[in-house]
């Protein structure tokens, strides 16, 4: 089955800096790669996703890049703000299967 | 009101007790899931159901069972709880296959003493 590795497990940045979280996947057939954000005391929520036919996608301050050859994808957050502090999960899936999640990255943005 | 509601939100129980966690949704989705979250281990799939008559084991189904009572209701049971089942449990729904967005409840924190 699919295996998703996520790094780093924790990331501390100063407000205004950029943050990058990286994931690798094992199944070359995986074709959908979402990112979820989990705020304290809440369930995860989808923030951005990318499909295998696209190399990059942006939504305001967040962007995701995908390198199919290397089987890795990354989340980029620019101009970080304290409200970006949360746990972020990457995931991968093939077709109609179920998502396999990475172990999560705790992002702390200090004012 | 939340689209995906889990009850109870917090539960403390003793080893050997039977526990049921309930999930109901108002999104009209066919697909429902139960995940377990442990620190440093991410989200792991316990069971999932693609419609009322469909139940499938996930990555870590041992020690758990589920019941899909209706399109909107999906329950997770621990027949005889053990301490290593102490975790945060999430119910989720989706409207389509693997590439559909998951909508999570707010979680049920279970402590087994």
């Amino acid at each position: 089955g699919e295996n998703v590795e996520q790094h780093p497990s924790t990331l501390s940045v100063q407000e205004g800096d950029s943050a990058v979280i990286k994931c690798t996947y094992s199944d070359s057939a995986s074709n959908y790669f979402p990112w979820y954000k989990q705020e304290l005391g809440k369930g995860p929520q989808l923030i951005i996703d990318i499909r295998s036919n696209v190399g990059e996608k942006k939504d305001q301050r967040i962007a995701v890049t995908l390198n199919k050859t290397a089987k890795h994808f990354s989340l980029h957050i620019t101009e970080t703000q304290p409200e970006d502090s949360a746990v972020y999960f990457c995931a991968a899936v093939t077709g109609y299967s179920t998502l396999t999640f990475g172990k999560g990255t705790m992002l702390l943005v200090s004012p | 009101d939340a689209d995906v509601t889990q009850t109870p939100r917090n539960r403390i129980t003793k080893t050997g007790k039977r526990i049921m966690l309930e999930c109901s949704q108002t999104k009209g989705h066919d697909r429902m899931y139960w995940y377990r979250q442990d620190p440093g281990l991410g989200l792991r799939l316990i069971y999932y159901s693609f419609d009322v008559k469909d139940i499938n084991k996930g990555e870590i189904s041992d020690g758990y069972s589920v019941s899909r009572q209706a399109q909107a209701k999906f329950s997770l049971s621990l027949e005889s709880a053990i301490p290593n089942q102490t975790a945060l449990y999430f119910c989720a729904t989706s409207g389509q296959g693997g590439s559909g967005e998951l909508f999570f409840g707010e979680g049920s924190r279970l402590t087994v003493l």
Side-chain angles (χ1 to χ4, degrees), chain B residues 14-25:
Chain B
K14 295 182 179 180
T15 297
K17 295 291 188 181
R18 183 178 188 274
I19 295 297
M20 178 179 286
L21 305 179
E22 298 183 321
C23 177
S24 63
Q25 53 112 347

Side-chain angles (χ1 to χ4, degrees), chain A residues 49-107:
Chain A
D49 57 17
I50 192 167
R51 298 185 188 274
S52 58
N53 59 347
V54 176
E56 183 176 2
K57 184 177 180 180
K58 288 184 178 180
D59 183 2
Q60 299 183 342
R61 294 186 300 106
I62 61 173
V64 58
T65 58
L66 171 65
N67 182 327
K68 288 190 295 182
T69 302
K71 290 192 283 188
H72 68 70
F73 56 113
S74 301
L75 177 71
H76 304 254
I77 306 174
T78 58
E79 301 173 21
T80 54
Q81 302 168 2
E83 51 265 38
D84 294 327
S85 294
V87 177
Y88 292 80
F89 294 99
C90 63
V93 68
T94 303
Y96 289 95
S97 184
T98 56
L99 285 172
T100 298
F101 286 90
K103 290 181 168 50
T105 296
M106 180 177 290
L107 174 64

Side-chain angles (χ1 to χ4, degrees), chain A residues 32 36 38 41-46 51 87 89 93 95-99 101-104, chain B residues 9 33 35 37 40-43 45 48 50 88 90 97-102 104-106:
Chain A
Y32 175 66
Y36 284 79
Q38 183 182 22
K42 298 193 173 184
Q45 188 171 12
L46 180 70
R51 298 185 188 274
V87 177
F89 294 99
V93 68
Y96 289 95
S97 184
T98 56
L99 285 172
F101 286 90
K103 290 181 168 50
Chain B
R9 294 293 312 279
Y33 309 78
Y35 285 90
Q37 183 177 17
L41 294 180
L43 294 160
L45 183 62
Y48 61 102
F50 284 173
L88 183 57
F90 285 101
S99 59
E101 179 178 357
L102 288 177
F104 286 84
E106 297 208 323

